[in-house]
Structures are given as C-alpha cells and as structure tokens.
Amino acid sequence: MSGFCAVVDFAGRTVDSAVFAAMTEVLARTAPHGGGEHVDGSVALAHAHFDSDPERARGAMPVTLDGRRWITGDLRLDARDALCAALGARETEGDAALVLRAYERWGRDCAQHLTGDFAFVIWDAAAREVFAARDPFGVKPLYYAWREGTFVASSALAAVRGHPSVGDALDDTAVADFLLFSIVRDPWRTTFAEVQVLPAGHTLHADADGVTTRCWFTLPIEEPLRFRDRRELLETFNEHLTRAVADRIGGPALAVSMSGGLDSTSIATMAADVLRARYTEPRMLAQTIVFAPLVPDDEERYAAAAVRRLGIQHEIIRADRHRLFEKWELPGYAKPEPSNDPFSAITTDQFRRAAEHAPVMLAGQGGDVVFYATHPYFYDLLRWGRVDRFAGEIAAYVARKRRLPPLCLRSSFRRARGIQPSRAPLPVWIAPELASALRLQERWDEYWNDLPQVHPTRPQA
C-alpha cells in the first residue's frame, strides 16, 4: 500500500531535513512508484505512492486546494459519485482532493461522509492544527507520537520511531497482553510506550495543547433484513458484493487468496466476471494454502473445482514443506511488532509471488461469522411460523456437527443456577516475578470478567 508521514512542530522549530528524509526512505521500501513532499519550516508532509490502480484518478500528494490546507495519506474512496454530487465536485478529481473538500464542507465530521479505506493527515495552516482520520475497519494504518510539542505521524511504525524525539521504551501493558492473549487488547497501544495507533473509526486533532482522539464509527448491530422472496435476497446480496469487489479491482491483472470455502470462492467468481466484462485479456491468479497431510484438509479439492469452473490460473502452496518460524531471522520477514504466527513466512512468500502477478490481491474473510448458525436464527424460524424449516435445520445441523445447535439452553440453565463460566488459570510458564511486576493476574482477570459483556442476541458480532 501507499505510505505517508507528517511532522509538525508546534513550538516553531524547523523540521530536520535529514531526519525527515530517513522517515520517507522507510515509506519508499514498500511504495516505490514516486511520491512528493511539502516542507515549510516547522511542518513537513510526505507521500510515497504504490500504484495499485492505474485507471484511477491518482492526484499527487501532499496536495492543497488553497495553499492553506494540505493533505497526505493512503486513500481509496468508494461511492465517489455520491460524494462528488454532495460536494459539487468533478468526478475527475483525485481522492485526496475530495477528502480536502469534505473537510472544508464538514470539518471534523468529514469522515462520516467518506466510504472506503483511508488514513490521512490534514495540516490546517490557518488554524495551526492537525486533523487525521482512519477508516471504519482500520484497513489503512496510522501511527503517531506526541513528544514535547512535536506531532509525528505515519502509516509505518518504523518511520515514527525514526524521529529522534520518540524513544524506544516498551509499553509493559502491551507486552503483557502479547504474552497472555497474543494480541494487544487496547486498540491504541503499540509495543512502544511513546507510539500509539489511531484506532479504526477514529479521528484525531492536534494543536499546541496536545492530541485528542474521538470515535466516529461503531459497527451497527441492526435487525436482520427479511426477504420473503428468495430471489430478491440473492439479487440484493449479489448486487452489494459485486459492487464491493468491482471497486477493488484496479486493472486486468488480479490475484486472489482462495481457500475452498464460500467466502473467497464467491469473491473470486465475481471478480472473474468483472474482469472479463472490463478487459479483453484478463489475468487472474488464485492461490490456495493447504495443510494436508499435516491435518485433514479439503481446501485443495474444493478450490481446484472452483478454479476449473472459472478457467483461471491456480497455485497450490503446501504448508507441510515449511518449518515452524521459518525465515524469521531474515530481512523482509520481520514484523514491526511481535508476532506469534509460526507460519508467517508462508504468507509473506505468497504475497510476494502474488505481487509478481498483480498489484491487487483479494481475499474472503469474515463470512463464516456472519453466516454461522446461532440461537436467534432458530428462534426466528419459530417466530415466523416456519416449524417445518425449524425441524429440518435442527436435523441438518445435528447430522453435520454431531451435536445440538446453539439454542442457548445450557447457558440459560447455568445463569439460572448462578454457575460462573470456567476460567483458565494464569499460564504457569510466566515467571512469578514478571507476573507481579506487570500485574498480569489483574490483566488476566480483567479479560475473563469482560467476556460476558457481549451483544445479547448477536454475541459473535
């Protein structure tokens, strides 16, 4: 993806050109298709471009419309036609210019009017302030630090850490979370105490008084849409998913990380249709990682069947030929923060091979959670009077899973009897002195106490 960085010294000190050059060099390693800078004394903005969509209106960054407000970031807006209509802007304008116009129109509420994947920083010279925002799902990263009146931000953690005002001290809570849960539970923390992440769906404001953040997006958990006509349901789903896939195709060449499941296979099918409709010579590569014979795995069989039907190129990546934690010591495989994925080299090599074929790779993730049968679904069947369907679904679930579906009966019984859910003990392999110093038992208890606090009817959401 493209990269960006920004340094604003609110004390008026001139940005060190050598330091800023080193920060931008970090960006160029993964975004080699040119870039730009805006440097004005105590303010410096930079952008490094990765050209994933040659047909899209690009527009150089950093960019300004009036010489007072400048923007840099990593942007890919969807629903541009609606946004242009709302702003009275031309369809030919680049995404960055549209975001600037949105900021001029709606100020700090502008992110609510944007659809797509984005992280950006706007310097408002007239107001002497910074505004930044990140997309609802955090597709584009944004790291930042505030040190002694200096604001530093970038899409790359290494670029922020490269500024001399930012120290290397570790965040003990983040370290504790990694040891206990393999993730950092607080979305604003990084492994480094002086560097933070702007969480997904948040905006940021910085001026001489410091930095404040605000949540502008929370995932809505609404009542399910009801369709009496099965064809209407399929047509509506098809329309939305096809548009989402089409928006992300940037040229005739495309790669797809495709398992044998429904999610990625559906996306691959729609992508193939879009490519053939747009281009005379589409080139599509599907990649499938299989773990057989290490574990029972039908991915290859189902993926191969889909590939034959689509008539596209297929590559099988066999995980059993790789060692655990392979290549971790090699340059280019290290992650910016700790990771416990023993197979990360497999996906790194996969992405590199995909990049040789196309600048864009699609994948299907999340559908399993959306379509997983939970107790409200079965209750809804009864509420709608679909007794025959209810009985059939129960029978099919038992035949497939060899157990009763999640009707919530056992959970209701446990709550009625006051029985607490089982709680795993603090891992015994953590040294007691470390657990005491980092208060790991308290963090562990916090985690288990938070678990029941889920949505009452859609716990997986």
Side-chain angles (χ1 to χ4, degrees), residues 10 37 71 76-77 91 93 95 111 130 157 165 169 205 208 210 219 250 254 322 333 361 366 370 376 381 443 447:
F10 286 98
E37 294 182 3
I71 184 172
R76 191 197 59 78
L77 297 182
E91 292 270 357
E93 290 199 61
D95 288 350
V130 168
L157 177 60
S165 69
H205 174 260
L219 186 66
L254 180 69
H322 295 260
Y333 288 85
M361 176 185 236
V370 173
L381 290 177
R443 195 72 173 166
Y447 169 78

Side-chain angles (χ1 to χ4, degrees), residues 119-154:
F120 61 83
V121 173
I122 294 175
W123 164 242
D124 191 331
R128 295 290 299 174
E129 63 184 17
V130 168
F131 175 78
R134 195 169 175 211
D135 62 72
F137 300 105
V139 176
K140 305 294 187 180
L142 200 165
Y143 300 93
Y144 71 94
W146 171 264
R147 302 297 300 164
E148 300 174 353
T150 300
F151 174 78
V152 184
S154 178

Side-chain angles (χ1 to χ4, degrees), residues 179-198:
L179 293 175
L180 294 177
F181 316 113
S182 299
I183 60 170
V184 179
R185 294 181 59 213
D186 298 326
W188 61 87
R189 293 185 188 273
T190 73
T191 308
F192 304 94
E194 296 180 6
V195 183
Q196 293 185 300
V197 177
L198 182 64

Side-chain angles (χ1 to χ4, degrees), residues 13 178 451:
R13 295 166 294 220
F178 177 73
L451 280 184

